[in-house]
Amino acid sequence: MLVLRELRASDRPALERLIRSTNAFREDEVEVALELIDASSDPAKGYLLVVAADVDAAQGRDEPVGYACWGLTPLTDGAYDLYWIVVDHAQQGRGIGRKLLEHVRTDVRARHGRLVIIETSGKPDYAYQRAFYERCGGTLLARYPDFYRLGDDKLVYLVRP
Ligand SMILES: CC(C)(COP(=O)(O)OP(=O)(O)OC[C@H]1O[C@@H](n2cnc3c(N)ncnc32)[C@H](O)[C@@H]1OP(=O)(O)O)[C@@H](O)C(=O)NCCC(=O)NCCS
């Protein structure tokens, strides 16, 4: 059964494994993803994180299969950034990413947030991520040509909470 739950300290190795399983991130991006996971355990830092876990209570199984990390954008009144959303490579395409994003929207709504901003890459191999945001109701707001590096634009999506 898929359960959305809070982060536990013991989740870190499993979350690192699933980040790496996607082959979507360079090593420096993996390091930043892990820094945000570590920062999420300190509420004062303002990072929010939800874990999607495959749970079978009878068998004592509780395995993280995805997570999302978001937070209030500093110096804004109700704008939130979705910093990271990851689903284990072997579990993609089964609706887990959509459930995580829905959880983020619900949480932002409960905090009276007005919008969720998602930044992603325009590279051809990020077509999957762009299709995901568009299928989940995201609107493409802006494209910054060659932002990340030459030939790698930054795309900004808006999702309403
Ligand atoms: C992006 C990601 C989070 C999506 O999670 P997921 O669990 O695979 O997505 P879902 O199964 O919930 O799909 C949700 C919707 O997106 C659509 N979608 C997913 N992949 C798609 C693809 N390749 N082409 C078209 N649509 C796609 C699904 O069809 C679904 O729409 P529907 O419900 O209307 O049919 C996941 O693929 C991932 O972790 N990717 C690697 C990490 C990454 O790049 N994260 C984003 C940057 S931080």
Side-chain angles (χ1 to χ4, degrees), residues 143-154:
R143 175 186 290 268
Y144 295 65
D146 298 326
F147 179 84
Y148 294 111
R149 48 196 54 77
L150 281 177
D152 186 358
D153 301 349
K154 173 161 95 173

PDB file of all heavy atoms in Angstrom, residues 143-154:
ATOM      1  N   ARG A 143      10.751  30.851 -20.174  1.00  0.00           N
ATOM      2  CA  ARG A 143      11.908  30.071 -20.622  1.00  0.00           C
ATOM      3  C   ARG A 143      13.120  31.011 -20.627  1.00  0.00           C
ATOM      4  O   ARG A 143      13.081  32.074 -21.231  1.00  0.00           O
ATOM      5  CB  ARG A 143      11.660  29.534 -22.038  1.00  0.00           C
ATOM      6  CG  ARG A 143      12.856  28.813 -22.646  1.00  0.00           C
ATOM      7  CD  ARG A 143      12.587  28.455 -24.091  1.00  0.00           C
ATOM      8  NE  ARG A 143      11.585  27.409 -24.241  1.00  0.00           N
ATOM      9  CZ  ARG A 143      11.873  26.105 -24.307  1.00  0.00           C
ATOM     10  NH1 ARG A 143      13.113  25.689 -24.235  1.00  0.00           N
ATOM     11  NH2 ARG A 143      10.908  25.230 -24.450  1.00  0.00           N
ATOM     12  N   TYR A 144      14.157  30.627 -19.919  1.00  0.00           N
ATOM     13  CA  TYR A 144      15.393  31.408 -19.880  1.00  0.00           C
ATOM     14  C   TYR A 144      16.392  30.671 -20.759  1.00  0.00           C
ATOM     15  O   TYR A 144      16.915  29.632 -20.357  1.00  0.00           O
ATOM     16  CB  TYR A 144      15.957  31.485 -18.469  1.00  0.00           C
ATOM     17  CG  TYR A 144      15.119  32.227 -17.453  1.00  0.00           C
ATOM     18  CD1 TYR A 144      13.876  31.760 -17.061  1.00  0.00           C
ATOM     19  CD2 TYR A 144      15.598  33.380 -16.850  1.00  0.00           C
ATOM     20  CE1 TYR A 144      13.120  32.425 -16.117  1.00  0.00           C
ATOM     21  CE2 TYR A 144      14.851  34.060 -15.895  1.00  0.00           C
ATOM     22  CZ  TYR A 144      13.617  33.569 -15.537  1.00  0.00           C
ATOM     23  OH  TYR A 144      12.875  34.232 -14.590  1.00  0.00           O
ATOM     24  N   PRO A 145      16.670  31.208 -21.953  1.00  0.00           N
ATOM     25  CA  PRO A 145      17.558  30.482 -22.873  1.00  0.00           C
ATOM     26  C   PRO A 145      18.960  30.322 -22.293  1.00  0.00           C
ATOM     27  O   PRO A 145      19.496  31.252 -21.681  1.00  0.00           O
ATOM     28  CB  PRO A 145      17.586  31.382 -24.122  1.00  0.00           C
ATOM     29  CG  PRO A 145      16.471  32.355 -23.954  1.00  0.00           C
ATOM     30  CD  PRO A 145      16.210  32.487 -22.498  1.00  0.00           C
ATOM     31  N   ASP A 146      19.529  29.153 -22.484  1.00  0.00           N
ATOM     32  CA  ASP A 146      20.923  28.868 -22.096  1.00  0.00           C
ATOM     33  C   ASP A 146      21.196  29.191 -20.626  1.00  0.00           C
ATOM     34  O   ASP A 146      22.314  29.580 -20.265  1.00  0.00           O
ATOM     35  CB  ASP A 146      21.903  29.651 -22.978  1.00  0.00           C
ATOM     36  CG  ASP A 146      21.769  29.246 -24.442  1.00  0.00           C
ATOM     37  OD1 ASP A 146      21.480  28.068 -24.715  1.00  0.00           O
ATOM     38  OD2 ASP A 146      21.951  30.125 -25.311  1.00  0.00           O
ATOM     39  N   PHE A 147      20.192  29.041 -19.769  1.00  0.00           N
ATOM     40  CA  PHE A 147      20.353  29.454 -18.362  1.00  0.00           C
ATOM     41  C   PHE A 147      21.339  28.551 -17.617  1.00  0.00           C
ATOM     42  O   PHE A 147      22.286  29.023 -16.997  1.00  0.00           O
ATOM     43  CB  PHE A 147      18.995  29.445 -17.659  1.00  0.00           C
ATOM     44  CG  PHE A 147      19.075  29.833 -16.212  1.00  0.00           C
ATOM     45  CD1 PHE A 147      19.073  31.178 -15.851  1.00  0.00           C
ATOM     46  CD2 PHE A 147      19.159  28.875 -15.210  1.00  0.00           C
ATOM     47  CE1 PHE A 147      19.153  31.548 -14.515  1.00  0.00           C
ATOM     48  CE2 PHE A 147      19.239  29.249 -13.869  1.00  0.00           C
ATOM     49  CZ  PHE A 147      19.237  30.588 -13.528  1.00  0.00           C
ATOM     50  N   TYR A 148      21.102  27.231 -17.675  1.00  0.00           N
ATOM     51  CA  TYR A 148      21.946  26.323 -16.881  1.00  0.00           C
ATOM     52  C   TYR A 148      23.331  26.193 -17.515  1.00  0.00           C
ATOM     53  O   TYR A 148      24.348  26.195 -16.833  1.00  0.00           O
ATOM     54  CB  TYR A 148      21.284  24.952 -16.734  1.00  0.00           C
ATOM     55  CG  TYR A 148      20.009  25.013 -15.917  1.00  0.00           C
ATOM     56  CD1 TYR A 148      18.767  24.795 -16.506  1.00  0.00           C
ATOM     57  CD2 TYR A 148      20.047  25.298 -14.560  1.00  0.00           C
ATOM     58  CE1 TYR A 148      17.598  24.849 -15.764  1.00  0.00           C
ATOM     59  CE2 TYR A 148      18.880  25.367 -13.805  1.00  0.00           C
ATOM     60  CZ  TYR A 148      17.668  25.142 -14.419  1.00  0.00           C
ATOM     61  OH  TYR A 148      16.515  25.217 -13.677  1.00  0.00           O
ATOM     62  N   ARG A 149      23.328  26.061 -18.825  1.00  0.00           N
ATOM     63  CA  ARG A 149      24.554  26.070 -19.621  1.00  0.00           C
ATOM     64  C   ARG A 149      24.122  26.213 -21.077  1.00  0.00           C
ATOM     65  O   ARG A 149      22.918  26.158 -21.361  1.00  0.00           O
ATOM     66  CB  ARG A 149      25.421  24.812 -19.396  1.00  0.00           C
ATOM     67  CG  ARG A 149      24.663  23.502 -19.458  1.00  0.00           C
ATOM     68  CD  ARG A 149      25.457  22.357 -18.859  1.00  0.00           C
ATOM     69  NE  ARG A 149      25.923  22.622 -17.499  1.00  0.00           N
ATOM     70  CZ  ARG A 149      25.175  22.572 -16.406  1.00  0.00           C
ATOM     71  NH1 ARG A 149      23.897  22.250 -16.487  1.00  0.00           N
ATOM     72  NH2 ARG A 149      25.680  22.843 -15.235  1.00  0.00           N
ATOM     73  N   LEU A 150      25.068  26.395 -21.979  1.00  0.00           N
ATOM     74  CA  LEU A 150      24.698  26.585 -23.383  1.00  0.00           C
ATOM     75  C   LEU A 150      23.852  25.406 -23.851  1.00  0.00           C
ATOM     76  O   LEU A 150      24.228  24.246 -23.633  1.00  0.00           O
ATOM     77  CB  LEU A 150      25.956  26.699 -24.245  1.00  0.00           C
ATOM     78  CG  LEU A 150      26.657  28.068 -24.222  1.00  0.00           C
ATOM     79  CD1 LEU A 150      27.931  28.017 -25.056  1.00  0.00           C
ATOM     80  CD2 LEU A 150      25.715  29.171 -24.709  1.00  0.00           C
ATOM     81  N   GLY A 151      22.714  25.687 -24.438  1.00  0.00           N
ATOM     82  CA  GLY A 151      21.837  24.624 -24.938  1.00  0.00           C
ATOM     83  C   GLY A 151      20.946  24.019 -23.870  1.00  0.00           C
ATOM     84  O   GLY A 151      20.223  23.062 -24.138  1.00  0.00           O
ATOM     85  N   ASP A 152      20.993  24.551 -22.636  1.00  0.00           N
ATOM     86  CA  ASP A 152      20.173  23.999 -21.543  1.00  0.00           C
ATOM     87  C   ASP A 152      19.380  25.151 -20.917  1.00  0.00           C
ATOM     88  O   ASP A 152      19.869  25.853 -20.025  1.00  0.00           O
ATOM     89  CB  ASP A 152      21.078  23.304 -20.522  1.00  0.00           C
ATOM     90  CG  ASP A 152      20.272  22.580 -19.449  1.00  0.00           C
ATOM     91  OD1 ASP A 152      19.022  22.654 -19.476  1.00  0.00           O
ATOM     92  OD2 ASP A 152      20.898  21.934 -18.593  1.00  0.00           O
ATOM     93  N   ASP A 153      18.149  25.334 -21.428  1.00  0.00           N
ATOM     94  CA  ASP A 153      17.286  26.427 -20.949  1.00  0.00           C
ATOM     95  C   ASP A 153      16.709  26.102 -19.576  1.00  0.00           C
ATOM     96  O   ASP A 153      16.564  24.923 -19.218  1.00  0.00           O
ATOM     97  CB  ASP A 153      16.093  26.620 -21.903  1.00  0.00           C
ATOM     98  CG  ASP A 153      16.518  26.944 -23.325  1.00  0.00           C
ATOM     99  OD1 ASP A 153      17.713  27.222 -23.551  1.00  0.00           O
ATOM    100  OD2 ASP A 153      15.632  26.914 -24.212  1.00  0.00           O
ATOM    101  N   LYS A 154      16.333  27.160 -18.854  1.00  0.00           N
ATOM    102  CA  LYS A 154      15.529  26.958 -17.638  1.00  0.00           C
ATOM    103  C   LYS A 154      14.069  27.223 -17.980  1.00  0.00           C
ATOM    104  O   LYS A 154      13.740  28.256 -18.581  1.00  0.00           O
ATOM    105  CB  LYS A 154      15.959  27.911 -16.528  1.00  0.00           C
ATOM    106  CG  LYS A 154      15.039  27.850 -15.313  1.00  0.00           C
ATOM    107  CD  LYS A 154      15.684  28.424 -14.075  1.00  0.00           C
ATOM    108  CE  LYS A 154      15.340  29.860 -13.847  1.00  0.00           C
ATOM    109  NZ  LYS A 154      15.848  30.340 -12.553  1.00  0.00           N
TER     110      LYS A 154
END
